[in-house]
Every structure is written in structure tokens, then in C-alpha cells.
């Protein structure tokens, strides 16, 4: 089983200001410019790989189609559903 790592996130103020122009409920892909969630996933996977983490576990709400598509486009393999969450293992290499 992969090592459990608790993530931290930093969001630059200019990103927050730019995102205020879009209506969104906070879900990746819902109102954000196209491609941003995929780019964020890609960069996160590169960072995890540098840390020696492979694969990573990513979760999303079962009804969040946009997030599911982003995770699956990053070669995410669905492990299971637990409650309202889908759990995907995504390779970093």
C-alpha cells in the first residue's frame, strides 16, 4: 500500500482574482476556463513523482462528471466508491 501523504495547497492571489471572473461552485471544471483542472492535475502528478509517490489516490464526488473526466484523462483507475466519493489511483510516472 502506498505511503499516506497529507497534501497542502498554495493558491496565488492572482489566480484567485482571475477565478472571480467565473461563476463556479468550487468544483473543478464547473465554470473554470477549459484545461485548468487538467493542467493542475498534471503538475500535481509531476510534483508527487519528484517526491517518490507513485501512484497517488485522488477522490471526487460520484456525481462530479467534470472531475471524473479530468482524473480519468490522467490515467486514473477507479478503485471503488465509498459513500458519495469515488476513489482513483493515478500513476505519477
Amino acid at each position: 500500500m502506498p505511503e499516506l501523504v497529507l497534501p497542502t495547497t498554495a493558491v496565488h492571489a492572482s489566480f484567485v482574482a482571475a477565478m472571480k471572473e467565473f461563476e463556479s461552485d468550487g468544483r473543478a471544471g464547473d465554470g473554470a476556463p477549459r484545461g485548468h483542472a487538467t493542467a493542475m492535475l498534471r503538475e500535481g502528478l509531476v510534483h508527487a513523482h519528484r517526491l517518490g509517490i507513485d501512484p497517488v489516490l485522488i477522490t471526487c464526488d460520484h456525481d462530479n462528471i467534470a472531475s471524473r473526466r479530468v482524473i480519468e484523462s490522467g490515467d486514473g483507475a477507479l478503485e471503488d466508491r465509498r459513500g458519495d466519493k469515488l476513489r482513483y489511483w493515478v500513476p505519477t510516472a
Side-chain angles (χ1 to χ4, degrees):
M1 178 179 236
E3 175 184 347
L4 175 63
V5 176
L6 298 177
T8 59
T9 303
V11 178
H12 195 275
S14 62
F15 176 77
V16 173
M19 291 308 297
K20 286 184 180 179
E21 297 177 19
F22 299 94
E23 292 185 23
S24 176
D25 66 356
R27 294 180 172 199
D30 291 352
R34 295 187 69 74
H36 280 262
T38 301
M40 291 170 59
L41 174 62
R42 187 178 323 113
E43 289 303 313
L45 295 174
V46 168
H47 185 69
H49 181 72
R50 288 182 187 143
L51 294 173
I53 303 168
D54 185 45
V56 296
L57 177 66
I58 299 178
T59 65
C60 70
D61 291 340
H62 75 94
D63 60 349
N64 189 334
I65 303 303
S67 290
R68 290 172 62 176
R69 287 182 180 155
V70 168
I71 296 166
E72 291 167 1
S73 75
D75 293 329
L78 180 64
E79 179 178 79
D80 62 14
R81 177 177 171 172
R82 297 189 187 182
D84 288 337
K85 299 291 183 186
L86 297 177
R87 297 165 35 100
Y88 290 86
W89 286 106
V90 184
T92 63

